[in-house]
């Protein structure tokens, strides 16, 4: 794979069982590039290893006054120089290619997983960790992949030098052959401690990144309540902790680097001293002494790659572990379909949406409203209706090993949501996304023009104008047009800032709703789509949704009476299961729990609502007397 061929047509299916397994899988995918890089590295380091012997031969030729042999040695040095230069240039080129292509593969895998999980990703993994994995961790993983071939080539050159000295100058070759492994492995006991310190540094850096992300996301609110300086102070403290951890980690790596300088220096001194004594005794020639000295001096270069591979693995292992944790997430918490099993066939149009876990049924072509007393449950239910996992708390309230819900089964035992009798998690992801669209309560608007905002996969039956009208976005268009630069006359050409920060919460919510309406899916699930708008606008939006989605399946999770009154049927969810079904007005009269959720009644108001006239008068008299 060349850089010009990126992106990968298919990045593959990673082995995400652990960080080392993921690195091994990634290395196998780069096998061709690694072999190419290793060959160029062997040429480069082979030239470096052969240089001392050529110098030794040249010294012997000068001592023996043999001009012809000296000329041959000169030609040999030229060839070695060419090998070193060409090998170094191509080694760098191929190694960097391995780095970039490996990093690109990881980024594609992360992007694919992000698209697969959607908004459920940040519910399972902290946003700061996602940012850390997709930026710094990707580069560290690529660094290790790049360093492997250079390290193997360096090992080749070290072995070549040691073996060559054993034949060329056996007395010195024995000393070098014993000393080099000691030098190479001397820092090995320090690596676990250095790795732990590096892990602590990255952990603190991840927390600081997450804190910074949360602070920036809530900056407007923080300024409104005067909490900006408080959170900036917290970030400064987190930054100082990262700095201190980085200094402690750097000290350990500095110690390892010092060992890699001191021990080779001691080995060089030993070889010179011992070689000089052998030369004085006439046991070796001057050229052999020069060759041995040059060989040991040359070894300092490949030995540095031993330190690099140790650092690269120490830094990339936790990065690979985090990447594997993200890549191992699945759409649902049910058992995965076997790899060889074919995806389920697309259900016929007009099927009902049914959730076996809660008992929720959304008839085809009707507007169904769902009321949950727990807002968190509503968010999880919306994700589940889109084919994602409906994560439950880990508490086991009754100690029987199961989640406490009707049926006595654990949360992970429930089947997927069914559309027309077909499980959503058995469909191809693209098919499931086309059939069912979920808009959560905090939708995100990407920067760009309105044309780009509405450039989404859609059936084509609903245009942007109709969707904007149904979502009551006229004032939003006016605001965008007023803020647009001169020369922009069409609001669809007006730009939206990052995450729509220049708009109010209600304006962002309505634009996101219009985008969802444009897609015109077979099933549209909306989680609190009007929570940030006023009641008059909410009533018009409710009418717009009902009219625009007539004949299409729509599920709205809300507790607003204005939305509920326009639904064809209303479902009350209590304790994770369906508690009542009917129209809004029917449930108001016959279901106290529904009335309490929708009208926000207090316990005392509910008690008074259940009393007769006489009992009510007595209760009021008691209240007056107590007052």
């Amino acid at each position: 794979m060349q850089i010009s061929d990126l992106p990968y047509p298919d990045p593959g299916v990673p082995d995400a069982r652990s960080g080392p397994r993921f690195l091994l899988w990634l290395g196998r995918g780069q096998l061709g590039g690694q072999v190419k890089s290793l060959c160029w590295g062997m040429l480069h380091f082979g030239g470096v290893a052969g240089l001392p012997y050529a110098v030794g031969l040249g010294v012997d030729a000068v001592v023996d006054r043999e001009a012809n042999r000296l000329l041959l040695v000169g030609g040999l040095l030229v060839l070695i120089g060419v090998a070193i230069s060409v090998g170094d240039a191509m080694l760098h080129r191929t190694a960097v290619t391995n780095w970039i292509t490996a990093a690109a593969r990881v980024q594609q895998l992360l992007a694919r997983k992000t698209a697969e999980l959607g908004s459920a990703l940040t519910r399972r993994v902290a946003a700061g960790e996602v940012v850390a994995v997709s930026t710094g961790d990707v580069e560290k993983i690529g660094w290790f992949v790049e360093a492997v071939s250079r390290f193997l080539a360096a090992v080749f050159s070290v072995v070549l030098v040691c073996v060559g000295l054993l034949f060329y100058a056996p007395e010195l070759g024995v000393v070098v052959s014993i000393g080099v492994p000691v030098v190479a492995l001397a820092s090995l006991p320090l690596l676990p401690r250095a790795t732990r310190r590096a892990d602590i540094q990255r952990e603190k850096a991840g927390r600081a990144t997450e804190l910074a992300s949360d602070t920036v996301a809530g900056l407007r609110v923080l300024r409104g309540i005067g909490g900006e300086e408080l959170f900036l102070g917290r970030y400064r403290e987190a930054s100082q902790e990262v700095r201190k951890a980085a200094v402690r980690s750097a000290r350990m790596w500095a110690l390892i680097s010092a060992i890699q300088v001191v021990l080779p220096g001691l080995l060089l001194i030993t070889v010179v001293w011992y070689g000089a004594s052998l030369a004085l005794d006439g046991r070796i020639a001057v050229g052999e002494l020069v060759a041995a000295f040059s060989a040991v001096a040359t070894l300092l270069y490949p030995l540095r790659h031993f330190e690099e591979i140790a650092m690269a693995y120490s830094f990339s292992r936790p990065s690979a572990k985090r990447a594997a944790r993200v890549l191992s997430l699945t759409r649902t918490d049910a058992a995965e379909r076997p790899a060889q099993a074919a995806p389920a066939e697309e259900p016929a149009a007009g099927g009902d949406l049914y959730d076996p876990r809660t008992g929720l049924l959304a008839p085809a072509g009707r507007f169904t409203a769902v009321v949950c007393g727990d807002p968190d449950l509503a968010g999880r239910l919306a994700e589940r209706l889109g084919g994602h996992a409906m994560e439950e708390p880990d508490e086991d309230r009754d100690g029987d090993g199961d989640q406490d819900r009707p049926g006595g089964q654990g949360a992970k035992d429930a089947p997927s949501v069914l559309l027309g009798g077909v499980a959503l998690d058995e469909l191809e992801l693209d098919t499931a996304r086309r059939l069912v669209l979920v808009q959560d309560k905090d939708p995100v608007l990407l920067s760009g023009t309105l044309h780009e905002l509405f450039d989404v996969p859609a059936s084509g039956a609903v245009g942007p104008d109709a969707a904007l009208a149904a979502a009551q976005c006229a004032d939003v268009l006016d605001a965008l047009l007023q803020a647009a630069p001169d020369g922009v006359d069409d609001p669809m050409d007006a730009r939206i800032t990052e995450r729509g920060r220049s708009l109010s919460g209600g304006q962002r919510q309505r634009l996101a709703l219009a985008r969802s309406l444009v897609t015109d899916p077979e099933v549209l699930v909306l989680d609190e789509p009007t929570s940030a708008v006023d009641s008059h606008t909410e009533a018009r939006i409710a009418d717009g949704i009902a009219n625009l989605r007539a004949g299409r399946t729509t599920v709205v999770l809300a507790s607003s009476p204005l939305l509920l009154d326009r639904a064809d049927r209303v479902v009350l969810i209590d304790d994770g299961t369906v508690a009542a079904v009917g129209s809004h007005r029917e449930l108001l009269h016959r279901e106290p729990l529904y009335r309490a959720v929708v009208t926000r009644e207090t316990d005392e108001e509910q008690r008074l609502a259940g009393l007769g006239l006489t009992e009510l008068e007595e209760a009021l008299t008691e209240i007056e007397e107590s007052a």
Side-chain angles (χ1 to χ4, degrees):
M1 169 64 75
Q2 299 296 321
I3 296 177
S4 58
D5 298 328
L6 293 175
Y8 284 92
D10 180 11
V13 180
D15 185 350
R17 289 176 290 177
S18 66
R21 287 179 182 271
F22 178 64
L23 288 175
L24 181 60
W25 174 86
L26 197 61
R28 287 199 302 265
Q30 306 286 126
L31 195 57
Q34 292 288 358
V35 171
K36 190 181 301 183
S37 183
L38 177 60
C39 291
W40 287 114
M42 291 173 67
L43 176 64
H44 170 64
F45 283 103
V48 171
L51 190 60
Y53 305 110
V55 172
L57 292 174
V59 172
D60 286 338
V62 172
V63 172
D64 296 338
R65 297 181 181 277
E66 295 183 6
N68 292 333
R69 189 160 52 129
L70 184 60
L71 186 61
L72 291 175
V73 171
L76 179 60
L77 286 173
V78 171
L79 290 176
I80 290 176
V82 171
I84 292 174
S85 301
V86 174
D88 188 28
M90 296 306 298
L91 171 62
H92 179 74
R93 177 185 177 91
T94 53
V96 171
T97 299
N98 289 336
W99 183 342
I100 295 176
T101 52
R105 186 190 293 270
V106 178
Q107 285 178 328
Q108 281 187 247
L109 291 171
L110 291 171
R112 185 174 69 183
K113 182 59 64 174
T114 301
E116 176 186 337
L117 296 176
S119 59
L121 175 62
T122 52
R123 295 191 180 187
R124 304 188 197 180
V125 182
E129 184 169 351
V130 176
V131 173
V133 170
S134 58
T135 53
D137 286 340
V138 167
E139 291 201 9
K140 292 182 178 67
I141 293 171
W143 176 29
F144 174 73
V145 172
E146 177 227 6
V148 167
S149 57
R150 286 208 307 270
F151 167 70
L152 294 177
V155 171
F156 166 77
S157 69
V158 169
V159 173
L160 192 63
V161 168
C162 292
V163 172
L165 277 179
L166 286 174
F167 285 97
Y168 189 73
E171 294 89 345
L172 294 177
V174 172
V175 175
V176 174
S177 298
I178 294 174
V180 166
V182 174
V183 172
L185 302 177
S187 58
L188 195 60
L190 297 177
L191 288 179
R193 183 176 297 181
T195 301
R196 284 195 298 271
R197 292 190 179 185
D199 289 346
I200 293 173
Q201 175 196 348
R202 283 187 290 273
E203 181 181 349
K204 292 182 180 295
R207 285 201 294 263
T209 302
E210 184 176 351
L211 179 60
S213 176
D214 292 342
T215 302
V216 171
L219 196 56
R220 177 181 293 184
V221 177
L222 293 177
R223 286 174 175 170
I225 62 175
E228 182 180 3
E229 286 300 323
L230 174 63
F231 275 80
L232 286 177
R234 291 181 181 177
Y235 181 72
R236 292 189 187 99
E237 293 177 2
S239 298
Q240 290 302 311
E241 291 182 3
V242 174
R243 181 188 63 80
K244 293 176 182 177
V247 170
R248 292 187 71 246
S249 177
R251 285 173 179 168
M252 184 57 65
W253 288 112
L255 177 60
I256 293 175
S257 298
I259 291 174
Q260 293 296 319
V261 172
V262 172
L263 291 184
L266 293 176
L267 177 61
L268 184 61
I269 294 172
T270 301
V271 169
V272 172
W273 172 80
Y274 182 55
S277 63
L278 292 177
L280 290 175
D281 294 340
R283 297 166 60 183
I284 62 173
V286 176
E288 292 176 340
L289 175 60
V290 173
F293 170 78
S294 302
V296 176
T298 303
L299 281 178
L300 298 179
Y301 171 53
L303 283 175
R304 285 204 300 267
H305 292 81
F306 285 69
E307 177 190 356
E308 182 193 18
I309 194 66
M311 292 183 64
Y313 181 72
S314 298
F315 279 87
S316 65
R317 182 183 55 80
S319 296
K321 181 180 178 181
R322 281 195 293 266
R325 183 164 59 246
V326 174
L327 294 174
S328 64
L329 298 176
T330 56
R331 288 172 54 199
T332 64
D333 52 13
E336 287 295 308
R337 185 176 66 250
Q340 67 273 15
E345 294 185 3
E346 181 177 336
D352 297 338
L353 184 69
Y354 176 66
D355 178 16
R357 178 181 297 181
T358 60
L360 171 63
L361 173 67
R366 301 186 66 184
F367 184 176
T368 302
V370 180
V371 176
C372 297
D374 182 4
D376 292 334
L377 174 62
R380 295 195 300 271
L381 178 57
E383 292 294 335
R384 177 169 168 78
L385 293 177
H388 296 289
M390 180 176 167
E391 297 180 4
E392 298 285 354
D394 293 331
E395 295 91 351
D396 180 18
R397 303 187 192 106
D398 56 11
D400 61 0
D402 294 326
Q403 293 291 342
D404 292 324
R405 60 179 185 82
Q409 302 180 45
K412 295 186 178 182
D413 296 333
S416 168
V417 170
L418 307 176
L419 178 60
V422 178
L424 287 180
D425 62 357
E426 294 181 0
L427 294 171
E428 289 283 1
L429 179 60
D430 292 342
T431 302
R433 289 278 170 83
R434 177 170 50 82
L435 294 175
V436 182
L437 173 68
V438 177
Q439 176 183 302
D440 62 19
K441 64 183 64 179
D442 296 312
V444 175
L445 301 179
L446 301 180
S447 59
T449 65
L450 283 184
H451 278 301
E452 295 169 339
L453 178 69
F454 291 111
D455 185 16
V456 292
S459 67
V462 178
D465 292 339
L468 288 167
Q472 301 299 310
C473 293
D475 63 314
V476 184
L477 299 180
D478 293 339
L480 289 173
L481 198 57
Q482 291 176 3
D486 296 337
V488 177
D489 300 324
D490 186 353
M492 297 299 290
D493 295 327
R495 294 193 63 82
I496 302 172
T497 56
E498 179 191 4
R499 299 177 69 91
R501 297 191 190 281
S502 60
L503 303 173
S504 67
Q507 290 174 328
R508 290 196 299 270
Q509 197 172 56
R510 281 178 283 163
L511 280 179
L513 174 60
R515 179 180 58 188
S516 298
L517 293 174
V518 163
T519 62
D520 189 40
E522 183 172 333
V523 179
L524 177 61
V525 180
L526 304 172
D527 184 10
E528 294 288 355
T530 58
S531 59
V533 301
D534 61 83
S535 57
H536 297 288
T537 305
E538 184 178 31
R540 293 194 295 270
I541 291 175
D543 288 333
I545 294 175
N547 295 332
L548 193 64
R549 293 285 301 172
R552 306 288 271 171
T553 307
T554 306
V555 180
V556 177
L557 292 96
S559 59
S560 168
L562 294 172
L563 276 173
L564 299 173
D565 193 39
R566 284 157 178 79
D568 297 325
R569 65 199 305 269
V570 179
V571 180
L572 173 64
I573 302 291
D574 181 35
D575 196 22
T577 58
V578 173
V581 179
S583 68
H584 169 61
R585 298 176 187 274
E586 292 172 353
L587 295 178
L588 274 179
H589 287 91
R590 75 167 192 258
E591 292 293 337
L593 178 60
Y594 178 84
R595 184 169 57 250
V597 173
V598 173
T599 63
R600 279 73 169 178
E601 287 183 347
T602 63
D603 293 339
E604 182 64 21
E605 289 172 335
Q606 292 183 53
R607 187 181 70 82
L608 293 177
L611 299 177
L613 181 60
T614 304
E615 295 171 326
L616 182 60
E617 290 177 350
E618 293 176 355
L620 291 175
T621 302
E622 292 177 0
I623 294 174
E624 291 175 356
E625 292 176 352
S626 62

